[in-house]
Amino acid sequence: MDSSPALLLLLALGFCEYGHGALLPHHQENPATEDKTLGCPGIYGQSLRIKVTSPKDITQLQVGQKLELECHTDKNHGAFWIRQDRSGTLHFIAFINSMSRVTFGRDPRSASRFEASKQSTIYRLAVKSFTPQDEGSYFCVMNFNQMLDFSPGQRAFLPATTTLVPITWAPTSKSGIAEESSLKTPDPDSRMQEDLNFFCHIFIWVPLAGACLLLLIALVITIVLCQQTRRRRCRCKR
């Protein structure tokens, strides 16, 4: 086990994956709840538990931040750390044996990117500087009595970023006021209100104008009659 832990783990996972498509589907957040449907004898997930020690809020994980995970077990037989990416591919990270010896994967940069240690029956893994390549679900695996114990997957993803759409303004007029690039559609309610106001004005002002005209005509007639009556009186006195 200690001489080639990665090879033994990959062989065991390979047989399961070959016979049943994918061992851990990428949409499955808790593989322990599906141990009976995996179809691979000797896979369980009851005795391993992952705890995030840093950051305090895993949903606010940032680029360059240190990610620290702890695998709490009840046995002292060594543990594997593996990561499942978005496509469902499994990546071996490190193996910590019962003597606290750490064996990293084939990637020579693994030793500089990760830290692994053991204290009693707690197996720790730390991603020194988290990057988008480190996103995925992290699992702690233990091989005991020819059985693989899987911990529930711990999801570690960067928060989704929201892209702001820039606002484009039309060229400004001479007065320095920006004109809108698109025409606004008239509001039907406001248009109806304008029509009603127009008819109201007609019904009010037309009769009023007619009344004023009649008063003006009556005034003219009165003035004319008064002048004629005055002339007649003047002729009678002579």
Side-chain angles (χ1 to χ4, degrees):
M1 174 63 66
D2 294 348
S3 59
S4 56
L7 178 61
L8 294 178
L9 175 64
L10 294 179
L11 283 175
L13 297 179
F15 282 122
C16 297
E17 188 170 359
Y18 175 77
H20 302 275
L23 177 61
L24 298 173
H26 64 278
H27 62 272
Q28 182 178 325
E29 297 184 9
N30 190 354
T33 61
E34 302 290 338
D35 56 347
K36 295 182 180 180
T37 62
L38 291 175
C40 184
I43 292 185
Y44 300 95
Q46 295 85 2
S47 61
L48 305 182
R49 180 173 57 89
I50 292 182
K51 177 183 178 182
V52 180
T53 59
S54 178
K56 294 182 179 180
D57 187 0
I58 191 65
T59 61
Q60 299 299 322
L61 186 62
Q62 302 295 329
V63 175
Q65 191 173 10
K66 187 175 183 179
L67 173 64
E68 296 179 312
L69 305 174
E70 288 184 353
C71 180
H72 294 253
T73 72
D74 55 0
K75 301 179 181 66
N76 188 14
H77 296 281
F80 298 88
W81 280 101
I82 60 176
R83 177 180 64 88
Q84 184 184 31
D85 58 21
R86 292 180 180 271
S87 63
T89 304
L90 297 175
H91 301 270
F92 170 75
I93 300 177
F95 171 71
I96 310 172
N97 66 8
S98 58
M99 303 300 295
S100 301
R101 180 181 176 183
V102 181
T103 303
F104 290 99
R106 295 181 179 180
D107 190 349
R109 297 174 299 176
S110 297
S112 60
R113 294 174 53 205
F114 301 99
E115 292 178 351
S117 61
K118 172 182 174 295
Q119 181 180 1
S120 183
T121 58
I122 299 177
Y123 297 84
R124 293 186 174 91
L125 175 70
V127 183
K128 296 180 180 180
S129 180
F130 198 86
T131 64
Q133 297 178 352
D134 299 317
E135 290 184 321
S137 297
Y138 286 78
F139 296 89
C140 178
V141 185
M142 181 175 289
N143 186 5
F144 179 69
N145 290 338
Q146 298 180 352
M147 293 184 180
L148 293 178
D149 289 349
F150 274 81
S151 69
Q154 175 58 56
R155 294 172 57 85
F157 292 92
L158 296 171
T161 57
T162 303
T163 304
L164 298 178
V165 179
I167 300 176
T168 304
W169 295 91
T172 56
S173 59
K174 294 181 180 180
S175 60
I177 302 176
E179 300 177 354
E180 294 181 357
S181 58
S182 60
L183 298 178
K184 294 183 178 179
T185 304
D187 189 3
D189 295 336
S190 61
R191 183 61 182 273
M192 183 178 297
Q193 185 66 31
E194 291 178 359
D195 294 339
L196 292 176
N197 293 336
F198 176 75
F199 289 115
C200 289
H201 291 323
I202 291 178
F203 286 118
I204 293 175
W205 290 106
V206 169
L208 183 61
C212 293
L213 181 61
L214 291 177
L215 290 175
L216 180 62
I217 293 174
L219 181 62
V220 171
I221 294 174
T222 303
I223 294 174
V224 171
L225 292 176
C226 290
Q227 289 180 353
Q228 291 179 356
T229 303
R230 186 176 180 181
R231 290 177 182 177
R232 289 177 183 178
R233 290 178 179 179
C234 292
R235 290 177 182 178
C236 293
K237 289 179 179 181
R238 292 178 181 178

